[in-house]
Amino acid sequence: MTMQQLHPETWVDSYADYLFNYAVARVNDSEIAKDLVQETFFAGLNSAKNYKGDASERTWLIAILKRKVIDYYRKINSKKGKAEVRMNYSAGSEAEGDWMEEQVADPSSNFENDAIENEELGLAIQNCISKLPKKQSLVFTMKTIRGMSTEDICNELGINPSNLWVMIHRARTSLMGCLNQNWF
């Protein structure tokens, strides 16, 4: 297995849309989802030294985002309201810290990466993508799944960037409705 390396300079272009879609599906609020993605990138930068290279960057960032979502729900559901969740994360250390920013998820752990859930979600997403109009499906797949640049997609399909983003927005809206019906 090839060891992966981090490339933080490409994270926003490569993963922001995917992470945002993941977060908004779980918190159902686009502003909170944006904040969680931003916190995820920040936590990734702060904990880059802990990255072992066993998983892809996207998988690693999703693991961080999963914990951010959990921390968000813990915070809003806390009986103390706005109290921060802090803990000693190392028995041999006096240090206290934000668990997520200091400890990155282990990609091989069953807790963070439930393979059955991920496989079922993947099938649900593919099913929903297949129900999109052909051009929306193509544009969404090229941009979000294959990670192609806006310029490359526009050149290949002969469309302008505004048209591209309208199609992506419509595809996301349709996919969210489909996933809400068939998955969540």
Side-chain angles (χ1 to χ4, degrees):
M1 181 173 173
T2 306
M3 297 298 280
Q4 305 287 324
Q5 292 185 351
L6 293 179
H7 301 284
E9 67 279 2
T10 66
W11 288 355
V12 173
D13 290 336
S14 299
Y15 309 119
D17 288 342
Y18 183 83
L19 294 173
F20 173 77
N21 290 334
Y22 183 92
V24 80
R26 280 144 185 86
V27 299
N28 206 24
D29 184 310
S30 63
E31 291 304 313
I32 293 170
K34 288 176 189 175
D35 290 343
L36 291 172
V37 171
Q38 184 176 12
E39 290 173 21
T40 298
F41 288 144
F42 184 70
L45 288 172
N46 284 339
S47 59
K49 64 187 176 294
N50 297 333
Y51 180 69
K52 297 175 185 164
D54 296 334
S56 70
E57 276 183 319
R58 187 171 91 165
T59 300
W60 185 72
L61 289 168
I62 283 291
I64 294 172
L65 180 57
K66 284 180 182 181
R67 297 257 177 107
K68 288 292 179 190
V69 170
I70 291 168
D71 289 346
Y72 164 75
Y73 279 112
R74 282 183 184 153
K75 187 174 180 180
I76 65 170
N77 291 320
S78 170
K79 291 179 184 172
K80 296 178 183 176
K82 296 184 179 182
E84 280 190 6
V85 177
R86 297 186 80 76
M87 63 185 283
N88 286 328
Y89 52 81
S90 173
S93 170
E94 294 293 324
E96 250 189 36
D98 184 321
W99 181 56
M100 185 54 229
E101 292 180 8
E102 300 293 335
Q103 297 291 314
V104 177
D106 176 5
S108 63
S109 168
N110 289 331
F111 180 75
E112 294 90 29
N113 295 316
D114 185 351
I116 294 171
E117 180 181 316
N118 288 341
E119 183 177 340
E120 289 174 355
L121 177 58
L123 292 172
I125 291 170
Q126 289 300 323
N127 182 43
C128 289
I129 289 172
S130 72
K131 294 177 182 177
L132 291 173
K134 186 176 181 177
K135 199 157 190 177
Q136 278 183 15
S137 173
L138 179 62
V139 167
F140 180 82
T141 301
M142 292 169 84
K143 181 69 177 166
T144 307
I145 297 174
R146 292 174 44 200
M148 291 177 65
S149 72
T150 299
E151 184 178 348
D152 289 344
I153 296 169
C154 289
N155 289 338
E156 188 170 321
L157 299 179
I159 59 176
N160 64 44
S162 296
N163 195 0
L164 170 85
W165 289 107
V166 167
M167 284 190 271
I168 288 175
H169 173 73
R170 288 178 180 165
R172 288 177 181 160
T173 302
S174 296
L175 287 173
M176 186 52 61
C178 178
L179 287 172
N180 281 332
Q181 271 187 321
N182 300 309
W183 173 251
F184 298 111

